[in-house]
Amino acid sequence: MTLATATNEHLANISNTLIYSAMAVYTLAFFAYIAEWLFGSRSKVARTANALTATPAKSAAAPAVTVNKAGGTAVLERPKVVTRSASGARDVPDGPGAHGGDAQGDLYGRIAVSLTVLAFVVELAGVVTRAASVQRAPWGNMYEFNITFSTVAVAVYLTLLALKKNVRWLGLFLTTSVLLDLGLAVTVLYTASDQLVPALHSYWLYIHVSTAIICGAVFYVGAVGTLLYLFKDAYENKLANGGKPGTFATSVLERLPASASLDKFAYRVNAAVFPLWTFTIIAGAIWAESAWGRYWGWDPKETWAFITWVAYACYLHARSTAGWKGRKAAYIALIAFGCWLFNYYGVNIFVGGKHSYAGV
């Protein structure tokens, strides 16, 4: 064994250790987010329900959030009133967040974010170390793609937080997905460090695959927002029609942003990254011409990338069409994200093609 080989193996072992360490910290963050939601459930804030059952005048002047402090109360923030996208609907304020207006819940939420930052740094170090061990971009197989994908997804979340966006409610769902993603990576998809086949030795690897990873991470964030929008919209409709949701649904959903806010968030996220997905497909076609002598050959990966593009184009069009706003457009968005997931997992695992050379 040469010194270079021994060094690469040592770096690969360090990378594996860092990924496992990141999983441990993400697990702590997961429990901290759980604590935030649990303490928040003890809060007696119920602004969404109050706004839906109050008169329009009272709804527009929704009360500020109060938190319990030393036996008294203190104002935390005034809710922002938004208008739902459905015509004729009432104004509904955004929920207070996972902490539900509880000071201790808010503290656990801040701890969870801090742990998420730490886990992100450790995981990023694991990805960089993996790249050093193979002396190339760390996305030559599904294992490397998975660990990079989850790192970028967390980066998107932390960037939105840094920009003062109201997305801390996403933390629990994100850490759950990241733990599942990394668990799948280190058990089923793990591939030892190795060099790439000649077709992948191109600067287009850095351009095409990196943009695909970024798009997937952003599409994921948009999909979570879309899914929660569907639940929150059903909750608001039930209240508006005089129904009484269950205790668990009320405790969770009343703390999320209003359905209009979630709908707008998902739309903006998907619309912002759609041009980059278009570029990803174009870059892949250019790389295909360089590697295989043709721009497009309807390879399964190419086909499903195009299907995903069409699905998101339909969503964006539906979102701007009067009769398709709201839930109908949301269903299309989830179908589009399902196409993206199948393009990555389904095609790579179950369908053969020119993109199968990297293996699992």
Side-chain angles (χ1 to χ4, degrees):
M1 179 183 296
T2 65
L3 178 60
T5 302
T7 301
N8 291 340
E9 288 186 1
H10 180 63
L11 289 173
N13 291 333
I14 293 177
S15 174
N16 295 339
T17 302
L18 288 170
I19 295 300
Y20 278 107
S21 299
M23 293 177 65
V25 182
Y26 278 128
T27 301
L28 295 177
F30 168 80
F31 284 117
Y33 283 118
I34 288 288
E36 179 186 19
W37 281 92
L38 289 177
F39 278 97
S41 69
R42 295 165 49 193
S43 170
K44 299 190 181 301
V45 178
R47 299 179 303 161
T48 301
N50 290 337
L52 283 168
T53 55
T55 63
K58 290 180 180 179
S59 173
V65 181
T66 57
V67 297
N68 300 320
K69 283 189 175 181
T73 59
V75 176
L76 181 62
E77 62 181 1
R78 182 171 295 278
K80 178 183 178 182
V81 178
V82 299
T83 304
R84 294 177 59 201
S85 58
S87 60
R90 302 178 184 183
D91 291 346
V92 181
D94 286 337
H99 54 75
D102 184 271
Q104 193 167 7
D106 182 62
L107 175 62
Y108 277 109
R110 295 176 184 275
I111 293 173
V113 172
S114 299
L115 289 170
T116 303
V117 173
L118 176 59
F120 165 75
V121 172
V122 175
E123 186 181 11
L124 179 61
V127 173
V128 173
T129 307
R130 173 75 176 200
S133 70
V134 293
Q135 299 179 6
R136 56 169 172 78
W139 42 73
N141 50 61
M142 289 185 67
Y143 167 75
E144 295 173 356
F145 192 101
N146 266 41
I147 62 175
T148 306
F149 169 79
S150 59
T151 304
V152 175
V154 176
V156 172
Y157 168 66
L158 295 178
T159 299
L160 291 173
L161 285 178
L163 294 174
K164 308 298 183 183
K165 302 298 181 181
N166 177 25
V167 295
R168 204 167 82 186
W169 47 267
L170 183 63
L172 177 60
F173 307 97
L174 177 71
T175 51
T176 302
S177 300
V178 167
L179 285 171
L180 291 174
D181 177 80
L182 292 179
L184 182 65
V186 300
T187 54
V188 178
L189 302 178
Y190 181 77
T191 304
S193 300
D194 199 2
Q195 294 303 310
L196 299 176
V197 296
L200 290 178
H201 285 288
S202 171
Y203 61 87
W204 285 106
L205 173 68
Y206 296 88
I207 300 173
H208 172 64
V209 183
S210 63
T211 55
I213 292 173
I214 294 172
C215 289
V218 178
F219 282 148
Y220 162 78
V221 172
V224 173
T226 300
L227 187 62
L228 293 179
Y229 156 74
L230 290 173
F231 282 109
K232 187 62 181 282
D233 183 65
Y235 170 78
E236 291 177 1
N237 286 333
K238 190 169 187 177
L239 284 175
N241 293 327
K244 186 176 181 181
T247 303
F248 177 78
T250 300
S251 175
V252 173
L253 295 175
E254 73 179 14
R255 287 178 273 166
L256 293 175
S259 62
S261 297
L262 290 169
D263 185 34
K264 184 183 296 183
F265 169 77
Y267 169 70
R268 288 179 173 176
V269 165
N270 288 324
V273 79
F274 182 72
L276 186 61
W277 182 247
T278 304
F279 170 79
T280 300
I281 295 176
I282 295 173
I286 297 173
W287 188 12
E289 195 282 330
S290 174
W292 303 317
R294 87 301 188 272
Y295 288 99
W296 196 266
W298 296 104
D299 180 76
K301 178 72 71 172
E302 298 168 348
T303 302
W304 277 95
F306 179 69
I307 292 174
T308 302
W309 185 91
V310 171
Y312 273 108
C314 290
Y315 162 71
L316 296 177
H317 177 72
R319 186 60 175 68
S320 61
T321 304
W324 283 83
K325 284 184 178 180
R327 299 184 70 86
K328 291 181 180 179
Y331 292 137
I332 298 176
L334 292 181
I335 291 173
F337 184 66
C339 290
W340 186 90
L341 284 178
F342 182 79
N343 183 40
Y344 176 57
Y345 288 103
V347 172
N348 281 19
I349 296 175
F350 303 112
V351 183
K354 286 183 174 295
H355 288 78
S356 302
Y357 39 60
V360 173

